[in-house]
Amino acid sequence: MIPAPFEYTRAGSVDEAIGLLAERGDEAKLLAGGHSLLPLMKLRLALPVVLVDIGRIGDLSFVQGDGDTVRIGALTRHHDLATSALAAEQVPLLAHVAGQIGDPQVRHRGTIGGSLAHGDPASDLPAALLALRATLVARGPGGERQIAADDFFIGFLETALAPDEIITEVRVPAVPGVGWAFEKFNRRAQDWAIVGVTAVLTDGNAGPGVGLVNMGSQPLRAAGVEEALRSGSSVADAAARADEGTEPPDDLNASPAYRRHLARVLVRRALEQAGA
Amino acid sequence: MTATDTPATSGAFGQRLLRKEDARLLTGEARFVDDLQIPGALWLGMVRSPFAHARIGSIDTSAALAMDGVRQVLTAADLADAWAGPMPCAWPVTEDMKAPDHFPVAGDKACYVGDIVAVVVADSRYAAADAVDAVVVDFEALPAVVDLEDAASDRVVIHDGLGTNRSYTWTLSPDPDAVEAAFAGAAHRVHERYVQQRLIPEAMEPRGVAAVPGVYGGDMTLYSATQIPHILKVQIAATCGVPEHKVRVVAPAVGGGFGSKLNVYAEELIAVAVARRLGVPARWTESRSENAVATIQGRGQIQQMELAADAEGKITAVRANLVADMGAYLQLVTPGIPLLGAFLYHGVYDVPAYHFECTGVFTNCTPTDAYRGAGRPEATYAVERAIEALARQVGVDSAEIRRRNYIATDKFPYNSIAGLTYDSGDYEPALDRALALVDYPALKAEQQRRREAGETKHLGIGLSSYVEMCGLAPSRVLASLNFGAGGWEAATVRMLPTGTVQVVSGSTPHGQGHETCWSQIVADKLGIDPADVEVLHSDTAVSPYGMDTYGSRSLPVGGVAVGMATDKIIDKAKAIAAHQLEAAEDDIEFVGGELRVRGTPSRAMPIQATAFEAFTAHNLPDGMEPNLAAQVVYDPPNFVFPFGTHVAVVEVDEETGAVRLVDYAAVDDCGPQVNPMIVEGQLHGGIVQGVAQALWEEAAYDADGNLRNASLMDYLVPSAAEVPSIKLDHTVTPSPTNELGVKGIGEAGTIGSAPAVMNALIDALAPLGITELEMPARPERVWSAIQDARRAPGAAGEEGQ
């Protein structure tokens, strides 16, 4: 429970943080809310040489919208997203999911950028962003680029973010008034989901979006379910495809076979609740 | 005999006083061991075995010693001369019990993950932690035994010198022929197998220790997060060889224990040894993940439970056979824990024939020892689960089978077949009230409605009636069990010259609220404000005599001693008043804090005035010692036997196997309540701890003896979000054993609750053909049981598919 020795620096701006990352390379790790990184450091599973604290960069904490898109600053705390009236109206799934993360202490300290950069398949936010077809904005020494949520999560705790890049914001298409649901199955309210399902019944070309929590080595889209819904299948038939293409983990809480079963049940429930 | 409410008293006894302790605990003013500022203290880091069973080869300390701030790295060989004796096991339960030598640092072999193999001494906690990682130990891994029945087979013997993993077999069988005859002639027989999984106590404050030597005086002060400073003092003398009169043990604010701090731990002894060796203070604070493997665990039993009954379901015999997990070594009272339940496998039922047998076996896991309830939750679980199986066999309701078997109220004090005398009891009123609290008939109707409608969320209602023996005391009874200590408790009460009161308590709190309750007992008797009473405790220099806190003994032993000492100073005050008011002592009455001459109210003096007179000693009766103070050491004639009935209501989601506790009612009887708010707090926490065994908690070891859930992320201690608001009520049946009529309540909630929840779960799933589920009822375990039941030939749900 005592981390290995490390250096600590505080960045006053995004540019300063990027500069420090470029200078220190693999040795450096960004510290925002600290709710994923610090537990790993205390267990000595993460051994960064230098922490670059970006927690006090004030202009990265916001929830704003222009009617088409909701923009959320990377340092926005889960609590601020969960209680944002704008988010509740325009991206209600995301606001609700943010309110289900961990416990009140975690939600007041943890940041959405930190959670996304960690790339944990058991996190709730990535599955919500996949279902909502969100875009992440990252800035590095070469400037700013946009990365679709689908392209962002690429492996276990692995993202498309370059070592010298910082997530600055998340852009989510506004979907006011559409059906949505979040099914989180866990044994205690504060825990990671054993399996979670996000669903948004958007129409248009893309069709409904369904995300899966903790069903593989990375956050997943339930592509089979979405395809079935687009082609007019019943909810039951679509839900039966929930575990297609997944490789669920095996742990004390659940075997892979049980997780596959849960995914099918929870997708069905989510779609029913969303009004499919 | 049974009242429905605590009788109103004129004074502080029975009031819901806010706890005196809380302001300093909640503001951070209270100091726990880790908060202590100890100039010059060196920090200890423990190098622990990552293997459950391994031969210890060479230990390379060079890299660690080369690190900044590292003073020494000590192995078993380095510390060999530090020990006057092995670590204590104070409860050799049988003459032929096999106990391995157990020293604080393992020498030849490590026997569980977490066994200490070397000790780092460093300038800071950080330097110690870094150096622990740098010590290189050449382990030769050996096959490990984890499963209890596998261990009993001696396929792998853990302690070479013992030749077996079986430590002891202890039998209580007053009349074996009667048991055989009862089973032979029974109309109904129940034979169930239950598994009590290992639990991790998870006190809020992990352990911590600081040993401060007096270099020239030869004395040693040990600060420890312990429940037992007095017992620890004796053991420090015996194990480390520090003369006992030179040892002082202080338990500062202690953040919970649940039995886990009722022990003498390697780290305490190592701190003393290092402090003596180097002549400077040595300290250590346990981390949470260390706590999971290095602090004792609870439960760990396989129970074969049999009932014989007549055609109406009246139980005619109980036969219980246990295999109990000792873990790798015997800690302070490890072997005796299952035996604290040995007398209670017939619970609240009037049973004429009884057999109990327990075999304790070693495994390559963390040692087990006392954990809230200690033996009694296991016994209650077995009998309360088995009687439900009997009810199903006989075809009667859960409440009815209990009514047919309860010990009749007119049989108290009740001499049990197992050899106990239950002090007082009246079991049906608690059952009736508990059923009323949940509206039992309405629940049964709703359950039936859901079944008929084919709904997938099944309702289950589970009962549990318990009695437990607590207030661990009678020294002679403990002697008959070969327990290595007495069971008395000491208290001193002194009214100071200005009229305020100091109480010195031998029983040592670690969260219970002794200061509040002892103040209420004293203030009630003296007719004063509880705020005028200060309770001193937890320091052997302040309170030299005590037997400490465990087994729900504080109130029925220590609290009663406080009351008796108060009575003694009242008697002395009467003698002073009689002398000064020139009346006969028999004519003095003590009313409302005043000593009055009977029939002449104007001739009176407040008790505070007698305290001042006793202090000046100017005008005392001839031969009377100065000062208004008295000490009592109380050794009760019997245990006390709190009881009650709990009802759990669960909802099981057939599709996912999720179990949700939707309602919970408990009606408990601990006699008169000193502070009902504190009683309710004990019950809330205790009940949830038992519910946690049923639904969430388990120390999950893999086949190689690795603990798979050594963090609070994976070891599922429930929070308030997981449990409904608990409905509490009580009855009041005083104990005739002590002057206050009180019984302990610290463990009752935990004892009653796990079987209520599991009975509810089985009640929900019985129509599917499920009659047994192991704890904890993980959703996948429940779901798999439902799938298996569906696949079974003739399954209830088959025709519907």
Side-chain angles (χ1 to χ4, degrees), chain B residues 58 70 183 195 252 261 277 279 284 403 472 514 518 659 702:
Chain B
S58 62
V70 177
F183 276 93
V195 177
K261 292 172 183 167
R277 183 186 176 101
W284 169 80
R403 291 186 205 277
L472 294 189
H514 288 53
W518 287 193
V659 180
D702 67 16

Side-chain angles (χ1 to χ4, degrees), chain A residues 54-202:
Chain A
I54 56 170
R56 300 196 193 186
I57 302 177
D59 56 3
L60 286 186
S61 178
F62 58 83
V63 182
Q64 295 166 357
D66 59 7
D68 291 331
T69 305
V70 177
R71 296 171 53 231
I72 303 152
L75 287 176
T76 306
R77 313 274 175 189
H78 303 308
H79 172 80
D80 295 329
L81 180 56
T83 54
S84 157
L86 177 77
E89 198 238 315
Q90 304 212 333
V91 284
L93 169 69
L94 189 59
H96 176 77
V97 165
Q100 302 295 305
I101 294 169
D103 55 32
Q105 284 135 306
V106 169
R107 294 197 288 273
H108 277 85
R109 291 297 303 164
T111 66
I112 67 149
S115 173
L116 296 171
H118 192 51
D120 191 331
S123 282
D124 300 329
L125 276 181
L129 295 187
L130 287 168
L132 286 162
R133 298 187 171 86
T135 301
L136 289 85
V137 180
R139 204 193 304 170
E144 195 171 274
R145 65 173 178 135
Q146 299 192 15
I147 311 166
D150 276 310
D151 301 326
F152 185 77
F153 305 104
I154 58 176
F156 182 67
L157 304 185
E158 204 184 337
T159 70
L161 211 58
D164 53 2
E165 275 186 316
I166 293 179
I167 303 173
T168 52
E169 70 178 65
V170 179
R171 294 183 186 160
V172 192
V175 284
V178 307
W180 61 272
F182 178 45
E183 285 285 328
K184 182 173 185 174
F185 188 85
N186 54 18
R187 295 175 65 191
R188 295 181 307 178
Q190 71 196 66
D191 287 333
W192 306 98
I194 294 171
V195 175
V197 173
T198 55
V200 196
L201 300 183
T202 40

Side-chain angles (χ1 to χ4, degrees), chain A residues 1-5 43-44 185-192 194 250-258 261-262 265-266 268-269, chain B residues 125-126 129-130 133 287-289 653 655-656 658 695-696 700 708-709 712-713 715-719 721-722 776 778-780 783:
Chain A
M1 299 304 279
I2 301 243
L43 294 169
R44 299 196 174 204
F185 188 85
N186 54 18
R187 295 175 65 191
R188 295 181 307 178
Q190 71 196 66
D191 287 333
W192 306 98
I194 294 171
D250 188 3
D251 57 34
L252 278 176
N253 285 317
S255 66
Y258 177 57
H261 166 76
L262 283 179
V265 172
L266 298 176
R268 193 200 75 225
R269 288 181 180 179
Chain B
R125 196 177 174 191
Y126 289 81
D130 293 344
D133 281 354
S287 72
R288 180 57 69 184
S289 34
D653 182 342
E655 280 191 299
T656 63
L695 297 183
W696 294 290
R708 296 178 66 195
N709 52 353
L712 288 175
M713 195 168 82
Y715 187 86
L716 305 185
V717 178
S719 75
E722 279 71 55
R778 290 193 298 263
E780 181 168 9
W783 177 75

Side-chain angles (χ1 to χ4, degrees), chain B residues 53-284:
Chain B
H53 197 192
R55 215 162 284 289
I56 301 168
S58 62
I59 299 180
D60 182 355
T61 62
S62 55
L65 284 169
M67 296 171 79
D68 280 348
V70 177
R71 301 287 186 100
Q72 295 200 338
V73 180
L74 303 167
T75 63
D78 298 323
L79 287 167
D81 60 359
W83 316 123
M87 288 178 58
C89 172
W91 201 342
V93 294
T94 61
E95 295 281 325
D96 60 352
M97 183 183 86
K98 293 185 170 62
D101 273 351
H102 182 199
F103 285 93
V105 180
D108 299 333
K109 259 179 38 168
C111 293
Y112 65 98
V113 171
D115 214 354
I116 298 170
V117 296
V119 180
V120 169
V121 186
D123 291 341
S124 73
R125 196 177 174 191
Y126 289 81
D130 293 344
V132 163
D133 281 354
V135 175
V136 181
V137 183
D138 178 21
F139 287 106
E140 180 201 337
L142 300 168
V145 269
V146 174
D147 177 79
L148 272 183
E149 283 156 343
D150 185 26
S153 77
D154 287 336
R155 181 180 61 84
V156 171
V157 173
I158 298 168
H159 300 291
D160 308 331
L162 302 183
T164 176
N165 294 325
R166 276 167 288 181
S167 176
Y168 69 86
T169 294
W170 189 95
T171 306
L172 173 66
S173 197
D175 187 347
D177 294 342
V179 174
E180 290 299 327
F183 276 93
H188 297 284
R189 291 180 202 91
V190 168
H191 187 160
E192 301 262 296
R193 178 182 185 272
Y194 304 124
V195 177
Q196 299 281 337
Q197 79 272 32
R198 279 172 167 261
L199 302 176
I200 299 174
E202 302 286 11
M204 283 249 268
E205 180 206 17
R207 290 184 294 123
V209 57
V212 180
V215 176
Y216 302 105
D219 56 292
M220 178 67 67
T221 300
L222 183 71
Y223 299 90
S224 184
T226 182
Q227 298 173 221
I228 54 163
H230 298 91
I231 295 171
L232 186 55
K233 177 172 71 92
V234 178
Q235 297 298 346
I236 293 292
T239 309
C240 297
V242 185
E244 190 185 345
H245 64 295
K246 296 281 194 183
V247 181
R248 173 184 169 203
V249 177
V250 184
V254 178
F258 311 119
S260 72
K261 292 172 183 167
L262 154 55
N263 228 304
V264 177
Y265 280 106
E267 295 88 352
E268 292 169 319
L269 307 176
I270 290 169
V272 169
V274 171
R276 284 183 99 192
R277 183 186 176 101
L278 302 183
V280 292
R283 70 188 303 179
W284 169 80

